Amino acid sequence: MAVMATITQRPSGVWEYRRRVPDRLRGHLGITEVRQSLDTKDKAVAKVRVVAVIADVERRFAAAGQVVTLDHRSVVALAARWLASRVAADEASPPDAETIDRNLGALQDRSEGYGPGAIASMSSTVDELLIAHDLPNVDQVSRDALAVA
């Protein structure tokens, strides 16, 4: 089957790379098409830049097709990165005491230790963290361990 990938010129004159996501990867990546600006209006420059973009997209597609199991060290490292980003965000714009109490109360109500409620409440956070680190297809056991961490 042929790969559908093109470079097209936007109305602004800037060239972009477009590639259809293979059907088997759509559930893993959550998108149907990759679109990336090549940041140039010059077609010759766009043709040079697209080579690196294609390589990156192919790497992402290959990674998305494989189920990854995280070891304990990786889970801890990812959780530490998430915590550091939360601390930085709270230092930049501290939440008020009422917001902190409300969030802690909601988490305690759902959690009952490290049960399904606590893990489910972290689901979207875990998804965002894994996608940010190019790990879109991680097994459920690893996802749960990351949610707990």
Side-chain angles (χ1 to χ4, degrees):
M1 175 170 37
V3 173
M4 183 62 186
T6 60
I7 63 170
T8 57
Q9 200 167 24
R10 295 178 179 166
S12 65
V14 174
W15 288 90
E16 78 174 350
Y17 168 79
R18 294 178 69 178
R19 165 109 193 261
R20 182 181 169 280
V21 174
D23 293 341
R24 65 184 173 76
L25 299 179
R26 289 181 179 189
H28 299 300
L29 296 173
I31 57 174
T32 59
E33 181 181 44
V34 174
R35 296 177 69 162
Q36 184 167 335
S37 173
L38 299 173
D39 296 322
T40 185
K41 293 182 179 183
D42 184 323
K43 188 172 185 175
V45 173
K47 285 182 176 182
V48 171
R49 290 182 180 174
V50 77
V51 173
V53 172
I54 290 171
D56 181 56
V57 168
E58 291 302 320
R59 182 191 55 76
R60 287 176 35 208
F61 283 1
Q66 299 174 0
V67 176
V68 175
T69 299
L70 302 175
D71 61 9
H72 178 71
R73 179 174 273 171
S74 298
V75 168
V76 171
L78 285 167
R81 289 179 188 158
W82 174 80
L83 181 59
S85 71
R86 284 297 305 262
V87 168
D90 286 349
E91 286 176 344
S93 179
D96 58 66
E98 184 178 317
T99 300
I100 292 170
D101 286 343
R102 185 175 51 249
N103 290 344
L104 283 175
L107 182 59
Q108 288 171 342
D109 291 344
R110 289 186 299 239
S111 69
E112 296 179 14
Y114 295 120
I119 292 171
S121 71
M122 292 298 291
S123 178
S124 63
T125 302
V126 167
D127 288 344
E128 291 170 10
L129 182 63
L130 292 172
I131 288 169
H133 289 88
D134 288 330
L135 295 166
N137 199 14
V138 173
D139 69 351
Q140 193 60 48
V141 171
S142 298
R143 287 175 168 281
D144 292 350
L146 187 55
V148 170

